[in-house]
Each structure stands twice: as C-alpha cells, then as structure tokens.
Amino acid sequence: NMENDIFSDKIFQIKGVSLIELELPFNKKIYYKVHELFPNKDNIILGTSILKEDDYYFIFGYVNEYQNKKLILARTRDLLSQEIEYLHFDGSWKKDRSNLMILKERFSSEFKAMKIGNEYYIAYTKDSVGKDIYLIKSDNITSPFDKEILVYSCPEHNSSIITYNSKIMLSLSNEKEMVISYNVNTLVNEEHVNLDIYRPRFIKIKMEDVRNEFSKIY
C-alpha cells in the first residue's frame, strides 16, 4: 500500500503490506478478500517475503532507516492473528520490536527469499537502485546472510536509465536453476515514450554455478 503525496516529503512511501485471499478455482468472477496485515510502524515494514516452515510463517522485512534498509525477520503461526514475534540480536524470539537481529545492511525494498535444499537465498539490488545484482545465502534462517556473490551487472543502467528491485522469481526457479527479474525505468520524463525502457528483464542462472561461486569465498 503506497502513499504518494507529491506536495510533501511522502513521495512513494509504503503505508503497509496487505494479504489478498483468493477463492479457487477461478470461474467467471474472481472473489477475494484484502487483509491489512502489516502497517508501516516505527519504520519497520514486514511482509516483503514469506516462507512457510513447519508450524511457522517466517516473515521477512526491513527497518527503513535513512539510506539504509536493514533486513529483519519475524514469525507467526497464523498470518491473520497478528501474533508476531521478532528475531532479536541474541537469537531469541520476542514481541518487542527493539534490539532486532539485522540479517543484512543496505538492503532493498523488494526481494523474495527462497529455500533450496537446506540453504536460503535472496537476490537483491543494494540500496534498491543500482547496476549490480547480488545473491546472498545463509545456512540458517535465523542467521545473518553474510555470504554474498555478484551474479549480474545490468547493462541498461547508466546516467538516465536506472535498474532496481531485483528479486528471485519463485514460481520459475527450482533446485537446478534460478530466475531473477529486475525493473528498469528512466529519470528523464521525455524518455517514457519508449515503453521498452519500463519492461522488466529476466536472467537465468544455474544453481551449480551459484554453489561453485559461493565455495570460492569461504
């Protein structure tokens, strides 16, 4: 949920994250409910990515500090219950929102976490906007993502064209290969006549190559 007040400093501000519940199968009409789950509170934004493991939904988000989005983790047994626990710096789970464990600094406002085997992966663009796409890995969902490799440099990125918000496409990825998308836009308003600038791009990488690259750094 975005707030875009062009007459204030609240331009493209995230108000919160909602869950859309759809009825399946789809027929002639789609019925859905919208659940207002995670409002932006104390500059903490949750729900960017969710993984279900055993009895818990693990909810990724970030602390939205000035020019530094810090990756954090929360969990709940029921997404609609609002009974949320946060991962603290000492590894404990508490409802308190202070002293949180920071899983990664200078992160992105959009990303998706994916579990492959016993490893957790996230592709991201540092500080949300930039030329380079990084892939980070952790062997434990409650540990910092301190293993990082550069997987791609976006050729479109230049002085006027920006690339941003890279993320793993979960439905297109598997244990053998990973598909990562990234967005493209322009800072020059007159260039918006070329719609190809705005189309998302996709890259595909082999997980065998990913593991080989990670093995070189530790």
Side-chain angles (χ1 to χ4, degrees):
N1 298 330
M2 304 295 294
E3 182 177 26
N4 187 22
D5 185 354
I6 61 174
F7 298 107
S8 72
D9 59 352
K10 296 180 179 179
I11 299 177
F12 294 116
Q13 296 294 308
I14 297 178
K15 295 178 64 177
V17 175
S18 299
L19 176 71
I20 298 178
E21 180 183 353
L22 302 173
E23 292 186 6
L24 297 175
F26 295 142
N27 293 311
K28 293 182 180 179
K29 188 174 182 179
I30 298 177
Y31 296 92
Y32 65 93
K33 299 177 182 178
V34 177
H35 305 280
E36 305 289 341
L37 288 186
F38 310 120
N40 183 352
K41 184 179 179 182
D42 302 326
N43 276 344
I44 292 178
I45 298 171
L46 288 179
T48 312
S49 186
I50 298 175
L51 286 179
K52 179 69 165 61
E53 287 196 14
D54 300 324
D55 296 331
Y56 284 99
Y57 292 93
F58 289 93
I59 309 163
F60 289 88
Y62 57 91
V63 180
N64 193 27
E65 292 188 357
Y66 179 69
Q67 293 186 340
N68 185 11
K69 292 177 172 60
K70 298 180 178 181
L71 180 64
I72 60 172
L73 185 66
R75 72 177 185 180
T76 182
R77 293 181 184 271
D78 182 357
L79 282 175
L80 302 182
S81 71
Q82 297 295 307
E83 293 293 324
I84 298 174
E85 299 176 313
Y86 295 85
L87 180 62
H88 279 231
F89 72 98
D90 60 358
S92 63
W93 295 93
K94 300 177 183 178
K95 294 182 180 180
D96 180 40
R97 296 160 66 95
S98 61
N99 298 317
L100 302 181
M101 179 181 289
I102 304 303
L103 301 176
K104 191 70 177 177
E105 300 262 359
R106 294 186 62 190
F107 213 65
S108 176
S109 57
E110 293 187 23
F111 58 91
K112 295 299 174 187
M114 182 175 187
K115 185 178 183 181
I116 301 178
N118 294 319
E119 300 168 325
Y120 300 87
Y121 293 89
I122 301 177
Y124 80 106
T125 304
K126 200 179 297 289
D127 299 324
S128 297
V129 179
K131 177 180 180 180
D132 297 328
I133 297 176
Y134 294 89
L135 190 64
I136 56 177
K137 185 182 81 164
S138 178
D139 300 326
N140 191 324
I141 198 171
T142 60
S143 298
F145 284 76
D146 55 0
K147 304 175 180 69
E148 177 176 282
I149 59 173
L150 172 65
V151 294
Y152 190 70
S153 293
C154 306
E156 300 88 355
H157 194 89
N158 57 39
S159 58
S160 63
I161 305 297
I162 59 172
T163 54
Y164 59 104
N165 284 345
S166 58
K167 63 181 69 68
I168 300 173
M169 304 300 292
L170 301 181
S171 61
L172 302 177
S173 303
N174 52 53
E175 293 185 356
K176 294 185 178 180
E177 60 186 21
M178 180 181 293
V179 176
I180 299 173
S181 70
Y182 63 95
N183 295 337
V184 185
N185 207 336
T186 176
L187 301 176
V188 180
N189 192 52
E190 289 76 16
E191 291 181 349
H192 282 108
V193 295
N194 178 10
L195 294 182
D196 282 338
I197 290 177
Y198 198 67
R199 298 184 191 278
R201 273 52 166 193
F202 299 85
I203 62 173
K204 182 188 292 184
I205 55 179
K206 295 181 179 179
M207 290 308 300
E208 180 181 0
D209 295 337
V210 167
R211 293 188 179 94
N212 288 338
E213 287 301 311
F214 273 114
S215 68
K216 296 178 182 178
I217 61 176
Y218 60 91

